Amino acid sequence: MAADEPVIAVSDLTRRFGARTALSSVTLRIPRGGVYGLVGANGAGKTTLIRHLLGLLRAEEGSVRVFGLDPVADPVGVLSRIGYLSEENDLPGWMRVDELIRYSRAFYPAWDDAYAEELRTRFALDPAAKIGTLSKGQKARAGLVVALAYRPELLVLDEPSSGLDPIVRRDILGAVLRTIADEGRTVLFSSHLLEEVEQVADHVTMIRQGEIVLSAPLQEVRDAHGGASLDEIFVERIGSA
Amino acid sequence: MRTPAAAIAWEFGQRHRRGLMALLASVVVLGAIRIAVLTTEPHPELGDLTFALLVPVPFAATFLYLLAVFTFGISGDIAARESMYPPRMFTLPVSTAALAGWPMLYGSAAMMLLWFAMRVAAIFPSGAAVPMYWPALFAASLLAWTQALTWMPYPFRGMRIVISIALLISIDVVVFTALATRPRESTMCLLLSPLLPLAYVTALSAVGRARRSDVPNWRTRATPAVTSSAPQRDFRSQAHAQLWFEWRQFGRTLPLLVAIVLPAALSMLFLFHETDAIVIEIVLSSLLLPSFLAIFVAATAGKTSANASDSYGITPFLATRPVDDRAIVVAKWRAAALSTIVTWMIVGVAVPIALVASHATEPIVDIARNVTDALGRPRAIVVGLLILAGLIASTWKQLVQGLCIAMSGRDGAVKGIAFATLVALTAGFFALGWILNSRVRMAVAWYAIPWLMAMFVALKLVLATEIMRRGFARGLFNRTQLIIGAIVWDVCVFAVYGVLVLVLPEILVRRHTLLLVAMLFVPLVRLAATPLAVARNRHR
């Protein structure tokens, strides 16, 4: 992959579920480095777009490339470089935290044991605790440990802090900031908690009913709207939907 | 719905309406078969021939189904310490007695009704005195105790499995030891009657503890908590990690089911040990049990989450593992192989013990002696080992060949296939009995068999070609893998053919028929289709 090639390149992506159009001619290019906030109301198409990036949905129309690769045709090449934390947090409830770490480590040659242990300790996760017995916040932390421990080139967070308390949200944002600190890495962060996106994102993409209505650097967006907050811009561009 | 009892009943009925309708239909089919048999000319041998497959097998399948329904599903993590009672019900404004009592009452009633329906509709061996009430009570007690043990929280992981097996086997042993004394039905009912109230009291305590999240934890008492995530051992590779995942997820299900059902099946030896034909049928049924149960386990084996009881979609957790679609399938196949080995170790221990304990070894020894006389000792040993190998291979085959359906993510197909298989098996064995009952029909079938087999082989090869073409087009298989796959399949076919030629003289079965048998036996289409099913499910 060339240095100037975008990490994510989506072209004219359209996806329909029955009669409903979930994504309509979405085009998006995300270059290497930085934090990209993907914002939109519930059902706007954020998760559908992210699932295409992970290869969990096949592009019916248009194309999706991550690191220059098709995530459906080459899941190993793409997924081994992505850290992913989903809103659903479907970690296997029967695993213990240490088993989850041990299991996940087998898939990533770049796994950093010391970093994983550091994250686990910082998040106060008991290695003997079963995932199924953890609170929602603890599950999110466990998911974050295994998404970060191999220092992925691209971190994809799909509504990671939805329904979580401020402390867990702070942990997640901290992890995002730390990722940014590691040169050259990219974060794609979907959320409807706009103050969160405002805190860490340097580029924002707004999506409404499957269409991208705005995609620009955050400062540029603010300047264009007379220094308004992201909340106000969101209400103006999306709230009318 | 004005009462909690009606609401709980409605949930069972609504959620499992298709399965319950299918169960009802299977009883009706059994009844129709019985009427058809009893209203035509006498078929004294038909009862014996089809008894095992027309009564114990459907009964065991429906028993397991009702077990899953009334314990609120056994597809969860059965080894977990926590209760398997659904937590969502704990917040309902009803007493714990109602939460434990109504499902147990409905389950017990369903089991009793199932037995009475079987008693009326099914064909039993001529001359056998089939009791009316105690088997119903026995079935209800087994279900009630399974419910109680399933809903109980345990101090350490895996304890539920150990206690369940031990207790259910103990009940079986006590009951069938009592049977050895040829008691009257009233005595058996008296013996069994305390089991239900005792199960209720246990379930009440279990649900009460689960409701207040009272999960005992021996670690907090006996040993200090582990404070480091330093692993006990690393997985040698992704493949080993994924094998561990699949084993923990579904690999233990088949051995567990066999460990539960087999003692019940073998305990019939104590009842019928003096009837040689039934002893042979029970042993045959026991040997066929792993393959049969594997059909149903295969449906859960396709699930990627123990918690997603209603969905066969691949969870994002598994779908985002950086492995290709084939690796996910191969891990399932390897876990299935491990599961098969453990299952057959259980069968290998339980069947001889039951035969000896019930003094029912004689008919089996007679068969072995006759085969040895006919073939000679070395050849008889080879034949025995080959049959055993065939049964083991068949168990693995049943576990993996259903994966192409289960892993496709199509819930309807998954649920339909188990019922269709049961119907096909029942109908097939009935048809077999019908054919064997007439020399003319046997002669016609004998000549038609090679042609039918040739037709199926042609269909198999056409389907396999199409699947491989699609897999190749989607990048799931490359040219080398297809060539290697074809060579491996050919080698397996010729190996099976060679064995068949060795065992069966040409005067009995023609060589080309044996080749067709081998081609049909060695799996191809469904194995090749599994990566395609996974790819479809993973990248929708």
Side-chain angles (χ1 to χ4, degrees), chain B residues 21-50:
Chain B
M21 288 297 287
L23 196 155
L24 186 67
S26 66
V27 172
V28 170
V29 168
L30 282 179
I33 292 170
R34 181 180 174 132
I35 291 167
V37 170
L38 294 184
T39 53
T40 55
E41 76 257 36
H43 300 274
E45 76 289 3
L46 191 60
D48 281 351
L49 245 175
T50 54

Side-chain angles (χ1 to χ4, degrees), chain A residues 15 51 54-58 71-72 75-76 79-80 84 88 90-96 98-108 117 120 126-128 130 133, chain B residues 77 80 82 157 219 225-229 231-235 237-238 241-242 244-245 248-249 306-307 315-324 474 535 538-540:
Chain A
R15 179 74 188 202
R51 289 175 72 85
L54 298 167
L56 306 186
L57 290 173
R58 182 184 297 277
V72 171
V76 180
L79 292 172
S80 59
Y84 171 60
E88 304 167 43
D90 62 336
L91 302 175
W94 53 267
M95 274 192 199
R96 295 197 317 252
D98 62 340
E99 288 176 332
L100 175 70
I101 292 172
R102 198 156 60 91
Y103 169 74
S104 302
R105 175 169 47 182
F107 294 91
Y108 303 100
E117 183 61 15
R120 188 198 64 73
D126 177 2
K130 215 174 79 160
T133 64
Chain B
D77 183 6
E82 293 76 15
R157 191 171 167 76
R219 279 175 200 274
V226 182
T227 53
S228 168
S229 68
Q232 294 96 5
R233 64 182 191 283
D234 285 348
F235 292 112
S237 63
Q238 292 180 357
Q242 200 54 34
W244 170 83
F245 179 89
R248 290 287 299 273
Q249 185 104 309
N307 302 324
T315 60
F317 176 77
L318 183 61
T320 54
R321 295 301 94 198
V323 292
D324 60 30
R474 291 182 71 158
R538 191 184 188 191
H539 319 288
R540 285 169 180 253

Side-chain angles (χ1 to χ4, degrees), chain B residues 171-298:
Chain B
I171 293 173
D172 287 345
V173 168
V174 168
V175 168
F176 287 99
T177 306
L179 274 176
T181 64
R182 296 181 178 279
R184 286 185 302 181
E185 176 140 285
S186 55
T187 312
M188 286 304 292
C189 289
L190 204 65
L191 181 74
L192 289 165
S193 54
L195 288 177
L196 270 177
L198 280 176
Y200 172 70
V201 171
T202 310
L204 188 64
S205 159
V207 176
R209 290 175 64 183
R211 201 174 197 185
R212 56 180 186 270
S213 300
D214 178 9
V215 182
N217 187 355
W218 68 279
R219 279 175 200 274
T220 55
R221 296 174 200 159
T223 57
V226 182
T227 53
S228 168
S229 68
Q232 294 96 5
R233 64 182 191 283
D234 285 348
F235 292 112
R236 274 177 286 167
S237 63
Q238 292 180 357
H240 281 91
Q242 200 54 34
L243 171 63
W244 170 83
F245 179 89
E246 294 296 348
W247 168 252
R248 290 287 299 273
Q249 185 104 309
F250 93 93
R252 297 178 296 186
T253 309
L254 182 64
L256 180 68
L257 285 180
V258 168
I260 291 172
V261 176
L262 191 61
L266 290 174
S267 58
M268 296 178 92
L269 287 172
F270 292 89
L271 195 64
F272 297 110
H273 65 280
E274 285 174 356
T275 314
D276 288 1
I278 296 181
V279 168
I280 293 165
E281 284 166 12
I282 291 169
V283 171
L284 279 178
S285 302
S286 301
L287 295 178
L288 292 172
L289 187 68
S291 297
F292 179 73
L293 289 180
I295 295 168
F296 299 92
V297 172

